[in-house]
């Protein structure tokens, strides 16, 4: 009987420890997800706001979608070479203008993240300006 | 019953024959005209060969057609691929692209071949020799980067 009680107690302690570790881990995950809030890009605020709402879910290091963050990862923006930046900016405007981004699959789950004409204009005006300054 | 099957068979054969009269225009313009990538860009022969073998069928004005591509509905399916490919990027029109578009395409070219998105799997089924090895992918990427940087620094 005594043995049974101590066995249950030990199990209880292990479970408690496990719960703590799990809690700790999930907190850590959360902080990684939060890095996108503090992502320090030299982009104007209105642009950053749009990107944060409609693009960062898939295009930052915290994303689980390897393909999308491989194509463009804003956490790595500063490491990109000038030619790559120009290429990505050029594609960015084209993709949002054609309505190819955000993808329809994503918008099915998050319809409110669809970009309106005004937002597309803000993005494209900015990419064009940014490209010409990079070309100098 | 046997009669019905026979009738359906004749009907299908007839349909197939009629379909042969519907052939899309072939993509058989000249390459190496003024605006082609090979005329405009700084590119060495080994990279030229790679692009010609793996990209030019769908991304230029001149496709090397295999024999089966003259048969409908294969010809229609292929034509669709070519029209789409050229709309995205046409090396025969390279000279008409702006400097920004050139730099952007060069960056995308390296991404697309590195990710294995290009050449597409459906093309590789019948064009095994168009498949790019790691070494050749690196060659294309190195060239794309050099050419992109050259364009960026090039004062026009």
């Amino acid at each position: 009987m005594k043995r049974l009680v101590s066995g249950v107690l030990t199990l209880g302690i292990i479970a408690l420890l496990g719960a703590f570790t799990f809690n700790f881990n999930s907190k850590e995950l959360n902080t990684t997800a939060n890095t996108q809030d503090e992502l320090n890009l030299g982009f104007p605020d209105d642009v950053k706001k749009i990107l944060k709402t409609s693009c960062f879910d898939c295009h930052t290091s915290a994303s689980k979608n390897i393909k999308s963050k491989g194509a463009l990862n804003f956490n790595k923006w500063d490491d990109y070479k000038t030619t790559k930046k120009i290429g990505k900016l050029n594609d960015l405007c084209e993709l949002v203008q054609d309505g190819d981004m955000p993808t329809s699959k994503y918008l099915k789950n998050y319809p409110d993240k669809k970009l309106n004409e005004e937002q597309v204009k803000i993005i494209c005006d900015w990419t064009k300006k940014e490209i010409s300054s990079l070309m100098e | 019953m046997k009669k019905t099957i026979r009738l359906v068979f004749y009907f299908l054969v007839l349909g197939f024959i009629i379909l042969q009269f519907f052939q899309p225009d072939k993509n058989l313009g000249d390459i190496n005209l003024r605006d082609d990538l090979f005329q405009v860009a700084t590119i060495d022969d080994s990279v030229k060969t790679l692009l010609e073998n793996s990209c030019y069928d769908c991304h230029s004005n001149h496709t090397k057609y295999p024999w089966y591509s003259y048969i409908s509905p294969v010809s229609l399916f292929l034509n669709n691929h070519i029209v789409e490919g050229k709309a995205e990027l046409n090396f025969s029109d390279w000279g008409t692209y702006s400097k920004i578009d050139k730099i952007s395409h060069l960056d995308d070219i390296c991404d697309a071949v590195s990710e294995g998105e290009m050449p597409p799997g459906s093309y590789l089924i019948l064009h095994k020799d168009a498949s790019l090895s790691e070494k050749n992918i690196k060659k294309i990427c190195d060239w794309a980067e050099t050419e992109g940087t050259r364009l960026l620094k090039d004062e026009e």
Side-chain angles (χ1 to χ4, degrees):
Chain A
M1 188 61 197
K2 232 180 178 175
R3 233 176 158 177
L4 192 73
V5 171
S6 68
V8 168
L9 217 70
T10 321
L11 265 176
I13 290 169
I14 290 173
L16 214 67
L17 274 174
F20 268 119
T21 327
F22 186 76
N23 193 31
F24 179 71
N25 273 342
S26 62
K27 255 187 195 153
E28 204 171 46
L29 266 178
N30 228 346
T31 25
T32 342
N34 274 341
T35 51
Q36 57 167 264
D37 295 339
E38 292 127 36
L39 196 54
N40 190 21
L41 298 158
F43 300 169
D45 286 341
D46 52 349
V47 172
K48 215 165 132 179
K49 199 177 151 203
I50 297 168
L51 295 179
K52 196 182 150 190
T53 308
S54 299
C55 316
F56 280 4
D57 276 353
C58 302
H59 292 290
T60 51
S61 294
S63 163
K64 281 181 183 147
N65 190 332
I66 294 165
K67 204 175 164 220
S68 55
K69 68 178 173 188
L72 170 63
N73 182 346
F74 283 107
N75 285 103
K76 292 190 176 160
W77 185 258
D78 290 334
D79 301 333
Y80 286 166
K81 291 198 169 133
T82 308
T83 46
K84 187 169 269 304
K85 280 183 183 155
I86 293 168
K88 295 301 173 194
L89 289 165
N90 199 40
D91 290 343
L92 175 54
C93 167
E94 211 176 287
L95 289 167
V96 296
Q97 218 160 34
D98 294 347
D100 291 330
M101 281 288 157
T103 60
S104 50
K105 205 175 147 193
Y106 177 70
L107 290 176
K108 226 180 241 171
N109 292 325
Y110 307 97
D112 51 320
K113 297 193 178 221
K114 190 176 162 65
L115 299 175
N116 59 37
E117 263 177 59
E118 193 197 348
Q119 289 171 312
V120 170
K121 195 180 174 312
I122 291 174
I123 294 282
C124 285
D125 286 350
W126 166 70
T127 57
K128 279 171 193 145
K129 218 175 100 193
E130 192 72 10
I131 288 171
S132 30
S133 80
L134 287 168
M135 296 285 284
E136 275 167 16
Chain B
M1 185 61 197
K2 236 179 173 176
K3 221 173 168 182
T4 323
I5 292 174
R6 196 183 284 174
L7 212 68
V8 168
F9 177 73
Y10 286 147
F11 191 74
L12 285 176
V13 170
L14 191 72
F16 182 74
I17 291 169
I18 290 171
L19 200 60
Q20 300 316 307
F21 290 96
F22 295 92
Q23 295 290 350
D25 288 339
K26 287 278 183 272
N27 185 38
L28 288 170
D30 290 324
I31 38 171
N32 296 333
L33 285 182
R34 202 186 44 152
D35 286 324
D36 192 87
L37 174 82
F38 295 171
Q39 304 298 314
V40 184
T42 307
I43 179 168
D44 66 42
D45 286 343
S46 63
V47 181
K48 270 186 197 175
T49 311
L50 288 178
L51 297 183
E52 216 172 339
N53 281 339
S54 300
C55 319
Y56 262 57
D57 271 350
C58 296
H59 293 291
S60 82
N61 287 341
H62 192 97
T63 306
K64 282 181 191 144
Y65 285 99
W67 63 268
Y68 51 79
S69 65
Y70 289 89
I71 302 163
S72 291
V74 178
S75 52
L76 297 164
F77 174 74
L78 272 179
N79 186 57
N80 203 28
H81 259 273
I82 294 164
V83 169
E84 267 179 42
K86 280 168 69 172
E88 197 64 45
L89 167 64
N90 185 348
F91 286 123
S92 302
D93 290 340
W94 189 257
T96 66
Y97 292 161
S98 71
K99 202 198 265 193
I100 293 166
D101 281 340
K102 282 180 191 153
I103 292 171
S104 184
H105 277 308
L106 286 163
D107 184 55
D108 287 339
I109 288 166
C110 172
D111 281 358
V113 295
S114 302
E115 297 295 322
E117 283 165 20
M118 284 289 149
S122 58
Y123 176 73
L124 291 175
I125 295 172
L126 294 164
H127 294 87
K128 291 216 161 57
D129 55 326
S131 171
L132 294 167
S133 65
E134 287 290 319
K135 203 181 112 199
N136 287 337
I137 288 170
K138 193 181 175 305
K139 226 174 189 176
I140 290 176
C141 284
D142 287 348
W143 163 74
E145 211 181 301
T146 312
E147 179 67 3
T149 312
R150 185 187 73 80
L151 288 166
L152 183 65
K153 290 181 179 157
D154 183 31
E155 311 261 330
E156 271 170 16

